[in-house]
Amino acid sequence: MKILTTVAQAQAQLHAKRRVLVPTMGALHRAHAELIRVAREHAGRNGEVAVSIFVNPLQFEPGSDFERYPRPESADEEFCRNAGVDLLFRPSVAEMYADNRSVFVDESSLANTLEGRSRPGHFRGVCTVVAKLFNILSPDAALFGEKDFQQLAIVRRMLRDLNFKIGIVAVPTVREEDGLAYSSRNQYLSVQERKQAPVLYKALCAAANAGKKSAADVVAIAREIIREAPLAAIDYVEVVDAENLQPVERVGLNSVLLLAVFFGKTRLIDNIRLG
Ligand code: PAF
């Protein structure tokens, strides 16, 4: 496995092979292993699987967990080696951002709702870093998990509107046995919080399977189940259209139920397709 830490090194690597990128912020877990596995399928035997690890300060809103975000460098490196990654790109913040940086990528429609409302500036940070990673590593395709549903929609929109010639592959959410979606932030949960966190997937499934056509009813079912967990504090539970992320009143084939819920200081997100 090749490890690159500078932009110059990465851009000097002319690659004739098909390259498939898994952008990450590290603290790699089973869901990343699944992304890497699917990346290998898409790269083919002769292609190259690249992983980037960069805890992107731009996508952490002020006062959030940038400082305490886990950075297990050598474990992540080992993880990538074991997963058969060909190229690991692991730049520093100074390498990625000039102090007087003044150009950003702003998605101005899909980013105004859900996560974007609760985390101002978050998607500007995501789009900016993803665009930079695409320019630095020139992948043919890139993989994103469906857990971050809004991120996936926004990255797709950025690709369309800025004409990036990169294929996006969406990978279904990977869950622990009790239904909790894998996330690097799960490790912040206390024992009690971790015990209660599976209520999120339980709520999503119950709401999705109740056969309700009114979005308000779907949301009410999910909220009622989440309230069973005393440590859960709901940020939002919403039914939106999967393409434009606007709220819908009636559940249709293209509807998705999304939620963000705090357990203590830890904010977890999850979603399920309806219809
Ligand atoms: O989903 C993530 O881990 C991050 O938002 C990403 C896409 C790597 C950009 O920093």
Side-chain angles (χ1 to χ4, degrees):
M1 182 175 75
K2 230 177 277 168
I3 301 180
L4 307 178
T5 56
T6 70
V7 172
Q9 282 170 349
Q11 289 189 323
Q13 288 264 317
L14 294 175
H15 58 284
K17 296 178 183 173
R18 177 173 167 76
R19 177 179 284 174
V20 180
L21 173 65
V22 180
T24 82
M25 300 206 300
L28 302 174
H29 48 65
R30 264 203 37 215
H32 293 113
E34 175 63 5
L35 287 165
I36 293 168
R37 188 190 68 73
V38 178
R40 173 58 64 197
E41 275 180 12
H42 281 264
R45 245 188 307 147
N46 299 321
E48 197 177 46
V49 173
V51 169
S52 62
I53 296 182
F54 180 61
V55 184
N56 174 30
L58 237 58
Q59 71 186 75
F60 287 77
E61 62 281 18
S64 70
D65 57 346
F66 176 68
E67 301 299 337
R68 69 173 184 141
Y69 197 86
R71 293 165 174 84
E73 266 194 30
S74 43
D76 279 351
E77 186 179 320
E78 200 52 29
F79 187 103
C80 288
R81 258 183 230 290
N82 292 337
V85 169
D86 301 300
L87 178 77
L88 174 58
F89 180 57
R90 203 172 50 184
S92 65
V93 171
E95 188 62 27
M96 288 293 276
Y97 294 119
D99 286 342
N100 61 350
R101 63 183 175 269
S102 55
V103 176
F104 302 88
V105 181
D106 239 325
E107 194 288 325
S108 59
S109 169
L110 306 177
N112 296 335
T113 168
L114 304 163
E115 289 301 285
R117 213 170 33 222
S118 299
R119 306 180 64 189
H122 171 67
F123 287 117
R124 178 191 222 218
V126 170
C127 286
T128 301
V129 81
V130 170
K132 283 168 71 71
L133 290 167
F134 286 174
N135 284 332
I136 294 165
L137 294 165
S138 312
D140 299 285
L143 278 77
F144 292 85
E146 284 180 347
K147 181 175 79 73
D148 295 291
F149 191 88
Q150 189 176 11
Q151 168 171 281
L152 181 61
I154 290 173
V155 168
R156 283 196 163 121
R157 179 64 64 90
M158 176 180 83
L159 256 71
R160 186 197 75 179
D161 287 0
L162 296 185
N163 304 97
F164 280 96
K165 219 177 121 212
I166 295 170
I168 295 295
V169 180
V171 178
T173 303
V174 184
R175 301 182 180 283
E176 303 216 31
E177 294 228 321
D178 57 12
L180 180 63
Y182 275 97
S183 162
S184 304
R185 290 191 166 98
N186 291 352
Q187 59 186 275
Y188 298 152
L189 298 171
S190 71
V191 174
Q192 281 312 310
E193 289 164 351
R194 175 64 189 81
K195 266 195 195 145
Q196 294 182 22
V199 76
L200 303 185
Y201 188 53
K202 188 176 156 199
L204 289 174
C205 292
N209 295 330
K212 300 283 185 195
K213 285 293 162 208
S214 142
D217 289 348
V218 172
V219 168
I221 292 169
R223 283 184 168 270
E224 194 179 314
I225 291 174
I226 295 167
R227 272 197 295 271
E228 287 170 10
L231 298 176
I234 294 174
D235 181 357
Y236 63 77
V237 181
E238 281 188 48
V239 179
V240 304
D241 176 84
E243 300 302 320
N244 62 24
L245 305 186
Q246 290 306 302
V248 294
E249 283 182 11
R250 304 291 301 166
V251 173
L253 285 178
N254 211 23
S255 303
V256 53
L257 171 64
L258 299 102
L259 53 76
V261 174
F262 283 96
F263 285 86
K265 281 192 183 152
T266 307
R267 191 166 170 286
L268 301 180
I269 59 172
D270 205 344
N271 66 80
I272 197 164
R273 296 293 293 236
L274 304 171

